């Protein structure tokens, strides 16, 4: 599959569970991003990785833990989430991040926290 | 602070008419303004963008205008078609922590094209 892929597409978890979201980009890009999309709210940037180094963190709660093992893969580890964390989590990538190149989004993971 | 205001939140137009969505931003240093389209259940996709050294850019039925002095930019869709129905997001670059730029998005506009 080309472009940016995300798994799983849907996830339901309890507040005590631990789960991980996976993102993979097949575009040869050097920057990857996690966004949160909630109903009636703008897309919120959570994390930015450039060349596998984290460069931006918008004061995201520690129950969200990102991991970027290489430039093609990005994970978001989730633990002890709250119901208000239910949202669509979008991954994106771009060639470079400092030049704000076009960001290509994945299809998202629809997360429901019970 | 980092802020992008987008209006209207919903817009309904007759097929064939034009649609205009407006955004304002707070930082005069912002220099890149993309527009994304998100169809129902699908991922956001870039449809057009403009940089601060350009006042207007056009791509077929879609155009974007930028007024740096007033700090606002607009998306214009002409001869609208049913497939234009989607949520449209504007965005602007802001300098985040560690001296790096990032995109801040507007709240989105749900555009409905009525046949």
């Amino acid at each position: 599959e080309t472009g940016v892929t995300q798994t799983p597409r849907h996830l339901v978890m309890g507040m005590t569970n631990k789960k991980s979201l996976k993102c993979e980009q097949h575009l040869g890009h050097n920057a990857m991003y996690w966004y949160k999309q909630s109903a009636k709210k703008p897309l919120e940037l959570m994390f930015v990785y450039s060349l596998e180094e984290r460069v931006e963190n918008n004061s995201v709660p520690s129950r969200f833990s990102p991991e970027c093992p290489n430039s093609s893969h990005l994970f978001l580890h989730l633990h002890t989430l709250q119901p208000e964390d239910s949202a669509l989590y979008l991954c994106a990538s771009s060639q470079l991040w400092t030049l704000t190149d076009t960001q290509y989004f994945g299809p998202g993971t629809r997360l429901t926290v019970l | 602070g980092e802020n992008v205001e987008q209006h209207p939140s919903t817009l309904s137009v007759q097929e064939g008419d034009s649609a205009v969505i407006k955004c304002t931003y707070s930082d005069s240093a912002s220099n890149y303004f993309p527009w994304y389209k998100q169809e129902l259940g699908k991922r956001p996709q870039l449809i057009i963008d403009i940089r601060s050294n350009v006042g207007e850019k056009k791509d077929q039925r879609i155009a974007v205008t930028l007024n740096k002095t007033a700090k606002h930019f607009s998306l214009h869709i002409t001869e609208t078609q049913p497939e234009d129905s989607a949520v449209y997001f504007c965005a602007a670059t802001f300098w985040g922590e560690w001296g790096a730029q990032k995109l801040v998005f507007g709240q989105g506009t749900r555009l409905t094209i009525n046949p």
Side-chain angles (χ1 to χ4, degrees):
Chain A
E1 188 172 350
T2 58
V4 182
T5 59
Q6 288 185 246
T7 55
R9 295 294 307 277
H10 301 271
L11 179 62
V12 180
M13 59 186 290
M15 290 190 285
T16 58
N17 291 158
K18 289 185 179 181
K19 297 286 184 182
S20 295
L21 309 184
K22 179 183 177 182
C23 175
E24 184 173 358
Q25 58 96 1
H26 310 266
L27 301 168
H29 288 168
N30 294 305
M32 296 186 77
Y33 312 79
W34 279 117
Y35 285 91
K36 178 182 179 182
Q37 187 175 34
S38 305
K40 299 183 180 180
K41 291 182 71 175
L43 277 163
E44 300 173 72
L45 179 65
M46 301 176 71
F47 300 102
V48 178
Y49 275 83
S50 176
L51 297 172
E52 301 147 49
E53 294 287 330
R54 190 163 76 186
V55 294
E56 182 73 45
N57 177 353
N58 281 13
S59 302
V60 177
S62 60
R63 56 186 184 269
F64 295 92
S65 175
E67 178 188 2
C68 188
N70 55 62
S71 60
S72 299
H73 294 86
L74 184 65
F75 295 89
L76 187 63
H77 303 299
L78 317 171
H79 63 96
T80 60
L81 294 191
Q82 304 298 311
E84 59 264 29
D85 296 323
S86 298
L88 180 69
Y89 288 85
L90 289 161
C91 173
S93 71
S94 63
Q95 183 60 49
L96 298 170
W97 73 283
T98 54
L99 299 180
T100 55
D101 280 357
T102 301
Q103 293 187 19
Y104 294 83
F105 285 86
T109 295
R110 174 70 62 184
L111 174 66
T112 302
V113 182
L114 302 177
Chain B
E2 304 166 352
N3 193 41
V4 177
E5 292 287 334
Q6 183 172 347
H7 298 281
S9 56
T10 59
L11 179 60
S12 183
V13 301
Q14 287 299 120
E15 183 177 352
D17 288 350
S18 296
V20 180
I21 303 170
K22 299 181 180 181
C23 288
T24 59
Y25 57 98
S26 57
D27 189 354
S28 57
S30 296
N31 60 6
Y32 174 66
F33 309 91
W35 285 89
Y36 283 83
K37 174 184 180 183
Q38 187 174 26
E39 296 178 54
L40 187 63
K42 295 190 176 181
R43 70 192 75 190
Q45 289 190 298
L46 180 75
I47 54 172
I48 195 167
D49 57 12
I50 191 168
R51 298 187 184 271
S52 58
N53 58 346
V54 175
E56 183 175 357
K57 183 176 179 181
K58 189 173 182 180
D59 183 4
Q60 299 183 335
R61 298 187 295 108
I62 296 173
V64 58
T65 58
L66 172 65
N67 183 327
K68 288 191 296 182
T69 303
K71 291 188 285 187
H72 70 70
F73 56 111
S74 300
L75 177 72
H76 305 255
I77 306 175
T78 58
E79 301 173 18
T80 53
Q81 300 170 4
E83 54 265 36
D84 294 331
S85 294
V87 178
Y88 291 81
F89 294 94
C90 64
T93 52
F94 288 82
W95 289 98
E97 300 174 20
W98 299 284
Q101 283 193 321
K102 63 178 181 182
L103 282 178
V104 175
F105 285 82
Q107 299 92 327
T109 296
R110 183 172 299 279
L111 175 64
T112 302
I113 307 301
N114 302 310

